[in-house]
Amino acid sequence: MKPVRRTRLAVALISVQLLLSACSATAHPPLPPSQWPDPRPAPWPVQGPRNTPNFHAPSATHCARPVALREVPGGGHEQAAGRASPGGAYDTRERLAKSAAEPPALADAPATAAAAPAWRRGDAAGPAARAESADALRSARPAPTFPTPQGSVAPYPPPPHQQPREVPAVVTAGVVDDNADFNAFLAFRSRTRVEHRPRDIRERYLLEVKDPRGRGVADAEVAVQGDSGWSMWARTDAAGRVWLHPNAFDPARSGHYQIAVRKDGRQSGAQLTRGQRSAVEVVLEARAAEPRARLDLVFLIDATGSMADEIDKLKSSLRAIVGEVSALPSRPDICLGLVAYRDRGDQFLLRSHDFTDDVNGFLHGALNPLRAAGGGDYPEAMNEALHETVHRLSWRGDGATRLVVLLADAPPHLDYGAPHYDDDMLAALGKGIKVFGVGASGLDKQGEYIQRQIAQYTGGQFVFLTYAQAHSPSSGPGRETVHDVKNYSVDTLDRLIVRLVSQELGKLAQPGG
């Protein structure tokens, strides 16, 4: 080749490289603190680099609403045989109360609430429908009613015509904090070979958001973007802290990340350099926490047949749990929610009750009617239920503490397609929702791995039932467990839940503190 041609070719190659670089920079611009993404979600599921979160920011202002049920049917034989809609999507509908001529089965609570058009996750109308005010929808809906044998309507279902189950007087449980003993958690992950949704959390960085007086800023919105264009979102916990795991969301493994933080109309920022040893600290002018804390607490429960004892124990102790939490120094304003799930082919895939501040209504209209039944195979519909919990419930904004107690004795189905629990644990962190996994009796290694995976990423902890003899739940309460844990504390399950909630609320910086 002649020298002139070689020179022209080199110039042409350089021009092409410059053009590609310019296009890349245009496609994935950095996210400055002054330009925040719209909190409305992109179409679900989202793939590839993005500058908009795939969730709604929590925005409800209250939970003063009646108890209402939203049910996703199990689908019967067709879905059980794998003939659900493509991609694992499922239809949802809010069902009419059954007529008096069709009395409810003793094993299940009757369906209720006004009928609504089916909504499919892949529909273009889905995000727009979810953008409507949940408070407005529920305030217009009448209180749920249930059929009675005489054909009249009662505000809550009548007691089942069966002898009450004998509920164990004491259920003991242990707890481990995998973020506090992170090296032990990494060792557990290394030696546990089970099927799961992989997210690399081995490299992590602590972000601390403080006000000028050095107090932690709770529930501050955090946006993180790498120089490759990949983004993630989080909210600080009650202490103003959050762990960031770049490899969990950025496959390009950027070297630098821009961090933007905002709250109360004010914003600040910082830069994270991969490999740095110190925590990232951001100072942000923000109001102190309100004198009275706000707590959104959801019970996410596997309601298949093997969970009867655990469900009955929760029914017998919930009022005491709420009473003790209400008496904490911060006098929390409590909103309660419930999402129960089974599996495809069962009477229902999931049943959810949005947040309410009516404790009696929650007990009688949501929790007490719940019965354990169905299931069939070992894995259950935890993926769908976690997605419901994170995306469909009316989580409050403006400084609420958002907690989920996930009570299950089986892992999720990983063969159904979307939704996937790892996508929703990322969304949970973006909404400031901590998940506390509670491993019930019979939970295997895969179930333990996935519960701990979700809890660690969202900042929660892993709770597990304990017995006098580790392999014998019938041996009664004790300190022994089959789970791969060390150095754990043990208490009764109800007191342990109160303690975990108390620890979270105790981190809030109070006025004048």
Side-chain angles (χ1 to χ4, degrees):
M1 183 182 294
K2 294 182 180 180
V4 174
R5 291 183 178 177
R6 282 200 295 267
T7 301
R8 290 176 178 172
L9 179 59
V11 171
L13 289 174
I14 292 173
S15 300
V16 169
Q17 290 174 349
L18 290 174
L19 179 60
L20 290 175
S21 298
C23 291
S24 177
T26 302
H28 307 301
L31 180 66
S34 60
Q35 296 181 3
W36 279 77
D38 189 316
R40 291 174 299 180
W44 186 91
V46 180
Q47 296 179 350
R50 58 190 185 273
N51 288 325
T52 55
N54 62 335
F55 58 85
H56 286 291
S59 59
T61 57
H62 66 87
C63 61
R65 60 176 66 88
V67 176
L69 169 66
R70 199 182 83 85
E71 179 175 297
V72 179
H77 175 73
E78 286 191 356
Q79 284 195 348
R83 292 190 289 272
S85 52
Y90 55 85
D91 292 327
T92 65
R93 51 189 164 183
E94 297 184 358
R95 295 165 56 148
L96 290 168
K98 296 178 182 179
S99 67
E102 184 186 356
L106 294 181
D108 297 281
T112 184
W119 170 73
R120 191 179 297 275
R121 292 188 192 278
D123 286 349
R130 295 197 304 276
E132 296 177 13
S133 167
D135 288 338
L137 289 174
R138 287 164 179 79
S139 63
R141 184 180 300 150
T145 58
F146 297 84
T148 64
Q150 292 77 24
S152 59
V153 172
Y156 298 112
H161 299 292
Q162 61 182 23
Q163 293 297 321
R165 296 178 56 90
E166 182 178 348
V167 181
V170 176
V171 174
T172 50
V175 59
V176 292
D177 185 343
D178 285 326
N179 278 307
D181 195 353
F182 191 59
N183 288 333
F185 178 58
L186 294 180
F188 160 75
R189 287 171 55 101
S190 297
R191 64 177 172 262
T192 307
R193 304 296 181 180
V194 294
E195 186 181 3
H196 64 280
R197 296 279 301 176
R199 291 282 180 171
D200 184 357
I201 49 85
R202 290 172 295 178
E203 186 175 348
R204 67 174 188 166
Y205 301 90
L206 179 62
L207 171 66
E208 296 181 297
V209 181
K210 301 179 179 180
D211 67 11
R213 298 177 58 182
R215 300 175 301 185
V217 178
D219 202 36
E221 297 175 89
V222 177
V224 181
Q225 185 176 56
D227 49 28
S228 63
W230 288 84
S231 304
M232 70 157 286
W233 289 265
R235 282 184 178 238
T236 57
D237 67 6
R241 296 157 50 106
V242 65
W243 287 104
L244 308 177
H245 305 86
N247 295 343
F249 72 91
D250 181 10
R253 304 205 172 196
S254 304
H256 302 279
Y257 295 88
Q258 296 297 322
I259 299 176
V261 179
R262 73 175 180 182
K263 188 178 182 182
D264 299 335
R266 297 179 175 90
Q267 57 192 31
S268 185
Q271 180 170 303
L272 168 65
T273 300
R274 190 181 286 269
Q276 72 179 57
R277 294 185 178 275
S278 59
V280 180
E281 186 171 311
V282 175
V283 177
L284 181 68
E285 288 275 2
R287 298 190 304 268
E290 297 293 332
R292 187 182 187 192
R294 304 205 302 167
L295 173 65
D296 288 359
L297 179 61
V298 174
F299 291 92
L300 174 55
I301 302 176
D302 177 346
T304 53
S306 57
M307 289 291 296
D309 290 344
E310 288 83 354
I311 291 173
D312 287 346
K313 180 57 183 176
L314 181 60
K315 292 177 183 179
S316 67
S317 60
L318 182 68
R319 189 181 296 278
I321 291 172
V322 173
E324 289 192 49
V325 171
S326 300
L328 293 173
S330 59
R331 299 179 298 107
D333 170 18
I334 303 174
C335 293
L336 296 173
L338 172 67
V339 176
Y341 65 94
R342 289 183 182 165
D343 204 358
R344 297 181 181 179
D346 290 329
Q347 180 179 358
F348 64 85
L349 188 74
L350 63 86
R351 285 176 174 169
S352 68
H353 299 263
D354 205 354
F355 289 108
T356 182
D357 59 358
D358 180 358
V359 177
N360 286 330
F362 180 81
L363 282 168
H364 294 290
L367 186 58
N368 284 348
L370 183 62
R371 302 288 181 268
D377 60 357
Y378 184 57
E380 313 297 359
M382 183 190 294
N383 281 322
E384 292 80 358
L386 182 61
H387 187 88
E388 175 85 4
T389 302
V390 172
H391 296 278
R392 293 281 306 202
L393 300 188
S394 303
W395 296 95
R396 287 182 293 180
D398 299 330
T401 298
R402 310 173 191 91
L403 305 178
V404 173
V405 176
L406 166 59
L407 180 60
D409 66 354
H413 267 284
L414 301 182
D415 54 344
Y416 281 177
H420 301 298
Y421 73 85
D422 60 317
D423 293 329
D424 290 320
M425 75 184 189
L426 267 64
L429 185 67
K431 298 182 74 166
I433 301 169
K434 283 190 177 185
V435 180
F436 292 83
V438 181
S441 60
L443 185 70
D444 69 357
K445 287 291 185 183
Q446 183 189 26
E448 177 185 352
Y449 188 103
I450 291 174
Q451 283 205 29
R452 294 176 72 172
Q453 192 181 10
I454 297 170
Q456 183 275 329
Y457 189 85
T458 62
Q461 299 180 43
F462 176 57
V463 181
F464 45 92
L465 302 190
T466 57
Y467 306 98
Q469 299 174 18
H471 293 276
S472 177
S474 62
S475 63
R479 297 187 54 84
E480 301 302 316
T481 180
V482 298
H483 294 298
D484 189 353
V485 292
K486 295 180 180 179
N487 303 321
Y488 55 88
S489 59
V490 172
D491 205 337
T492 62
L493 180 60
D494 50 353
R495 291 182 60 84
L496 190 52
I497 292 174
V498 172
R499 191 178 91 196
L500 293 173
V501 172
S502 177
Q503 288 174 355
E504 291 301 315
L505 296 179
K507 298 173 184 176
L508 292 168
Q510 297 301 319

